């Protein structure tokens, strides 16, 4: 591979993605995260440690962002010392974060003014699939740009869908997360109702497993509820709140009423407002139980 790839955002998902990029033969230049374990692992695999965002913009052909949300993406791309401050014409930026499509389209316009291409390539599945290179990826880009970035996206993906033009990937990602996080809110409330009414989580789980309401997301959610595996689904409640907030904002801009989306968003807003934002999504079951006077024993 001749392209040099920059990577910014070595968190739960980003570490595994970056590992697959370097292992599939791309030259990788990565910016350290707050914790150094990821960058040290990648350097050991052949990557190079970058000293700044500006350095990555100046030295790389493509840059992958895997950040918490649109404010962080905007700061990295357009802020002081950001990618656009040093980027060469022809640079391609791929945003795999779950971002607000309104921000995505605006960034694409700003990048185009500098001769830089912007692609939204958000992800679905978990850090486990990031590590094995089998994530789902939704890509918003022109057909020509999609073909250009596909070999890179292939390094971390098992399924790639070209969703349309810029912004469509992030739109689809928010819809995907609305469904999964909506299920999370439903599971948490159903479990609390069941416990108050004499049905244990274990009985609840034994009935739903293998039935028509079973799915992968349900199984990881319940892996925490009944198995108390804290790492079963490592996606924080504050990120869930952020994603559902973006969804409601997008719906408001489109003039769509959001009776259900707003209720789902408020479930995660409540969790973050009481100081539980760093807990993972399946732990919403504990929060809803506690708010209803039910205490689960670990």
């Amino acid at each position: 591979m001749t392209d040099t790839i920059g990577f910014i955002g070595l968190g739960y998902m980003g570490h595994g993605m970056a590992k697959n990029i370097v292992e599939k033969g791309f030259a990788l230049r990565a910016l350290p995260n707050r914790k150094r374990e990821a960058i040290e692992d990648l350097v050991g695999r052949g990557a190079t440690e970058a000293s700044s965002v500006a350095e990555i913009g100046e030295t790389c052909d493509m840059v992958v962002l895997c950040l918490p949300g649109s404010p962080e993406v905007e700061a990295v791309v357009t802020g002081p010392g950001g990618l656009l401050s040093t980027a060469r014409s022809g640079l391609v930026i791929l945003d795999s974060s779950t971002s607000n499509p309104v921000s995505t389209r605006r960034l694409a316009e700003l990048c185009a003014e500098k001769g830089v291409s912007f692609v939204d390539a958000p992800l679905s599945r978990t850090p486990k699939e990031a590590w094995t290179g089998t994530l789902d990826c939704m890509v918003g880009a022109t057909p020509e740009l999609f073909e250009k970035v596909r070999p890179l996206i292939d390094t971390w993906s098992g399924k790639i869908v070209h969703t349309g033009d810029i912004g469509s990937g992030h739109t689809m990602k928010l819809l995907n997360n609305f469904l999964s996080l909506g299920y999370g809110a439903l599971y948490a409330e159903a479990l609390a109702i069941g416990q108050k009414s004499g049905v244990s989580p274990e009985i609840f789980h034994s009935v739903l497993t293998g039935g028509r309401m079973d799915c992968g997301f349900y199984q990881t959610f319940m892996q925490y509820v009944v198995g108390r595996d804290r790492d079963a689904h490592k996606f924080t409640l504050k990120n869930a709140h952020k994603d559902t907030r973006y969804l409601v904002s997008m719906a408001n801009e489109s003039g769509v009423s959001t009776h259900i989306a707003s209720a789902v968003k408020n479930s995660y807003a409540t969790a973050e407002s009481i100081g539980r934002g760093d807990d993972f999504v399946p732990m919403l079951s504990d929060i809803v139980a506690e708010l209803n006077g039910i205490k689960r024993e670990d």
Side-chain angles (χ1 to χ4, degrees):
M1 303 294 180
T2 58
D3 287 335
T4 297
I5 310 303
F7 203 102
I8 302 173
L10 298 177
Y12 290 129
M13 300 291 273
H15 184 186
M17 294 166 65
K19 185 267 296 186
N20 282 292
I21 291 171
V22 72
E23 286 190 342
K24 299 293 174 58
F26 284 94
L28 181 70
R29 187 178 296 272
L31 193 69
N33 206 354
R34 290 185 301 272
K35 298 180 179 179
R36 290 200 51 85
E37 289 89 342
I39 190 64
E40 290 171 358
D41 173 69
L42 293 170
V43 168
R45 297 173 188 270
T48 300
E49 179 175 347
S51 61
S52 68
V53 171
E55 179 191 329
I56 285 183
E58 186 177 20
T59 59
C60 295
D61 302 293
M62 299 185 190
V63 179
V64 182
L65 309 179
C66 191
L67 298 166
S70 289
E72 293 82 4
V73 172
E74 291 171 4
V76 163
V77 175
T78 65
L83 292 172
L84 291 186
S85 69
T86 56
R88 298 168 294 176
S89 179
L91 176 69
V92 179
I93 301 172
L94 296 87
D95 181 17
S96 65
S97 320
T98 301
S99 298
N100 188 327
V102 177
S103 171
T104 299
R105 289 189 287 268
R106 183 172 65 250
L107 285 175
E109 292 173 358
L110 293 173
C111 286
E113 294 173 2
K114 299 279 185 128
V116 173
S117 299
F118 195 90
V119 174
D120 50 322
L123 317 164
S124 183
R125 301 177 75 84
T126 73
K128 177 183 176 182
E129 287 78 30
W131 194 257
T132 58
T134 55
L135 290 168
D136 296 344
C137 192
M138 298 147 268
V139 186
T142 64
E144 297 77 15
L145 193 52
F146 174 68
E147 291 304 322
K148 181 177 182 178
V149 300
R150 181 162 191 158
L152 174 59
I153 296 173
D154 269 331
T155 65
W156 66 72
S157 300
K159 176 181 178 181
I160 303 171
V161 178
H162 183 204
T163 52
D165 210 347
I166 187 70
S168 63
H170 281 144
T171 297
M172 187 61 230
K173 171 61 175 174
L174 292 180
L175 295 173
N176 180 83
N177 280 20
F178 172 38
L179 294 177
S180 61
L181 296 172
Y183 272 121
L186 281 172
Y187 298 155
E189 198 161 300
L191 286 160
I193 295 169
Q195 284 183 272
K196 278 283 192 176
S197 305
V199 174
S200 70
E202 289 74 17
I203 293 297
F204 180 97
H205 187 45
S206 68
V207 171
L208 266 68
T209 294
R212 293 184 66 187
M213 295 306 299
D214 197 355
C215 65
F217 180 85
Y218 170 79
Q219 286 297 328
T220 57
F221 193 97
M222 296 303 291
Q223 192 174 327
Y224 169 74
V225 174
V226 300
R228 309 315 275 174
D229 179 359
R230 295 182 62 85
D231 295 330
H233 193 104
K234 294 171 75 171
F235 188 76
T236 64
L237 290 165
K238 65 183 178 185
N239 275 334
H241 179 207
K242 180 263 296 180
D243 290 358
T244 52
R245 193 169 66 245
Y246 284 175
L247 175 81
V248 172
S249 174
M250 182 175 71
N252 289 342
E253 185 186 6
S254 303
V256 178
S257 59
T258 57
H259 303 289
I260 296 173
S262 292
V264 171
K265 185 265 293 181
N266 287 337
S267 295
Y268 295 101
T270 298
E272 185 170 16
S273 71
I274 63 174
R276 302 285 289 275
D278 289 329
D279 285 355
F280 297 135
V281 163
M283 299 172 191
L284 183 65
S285 61
D286 292 340
I287 294 168
V288 174
E290 290 164 13
L291 291 173
N292 286 281
I294 304 164
K295 181 65 176 176
R296 283 278 294 179
E297 296 297 332
D298 287 339

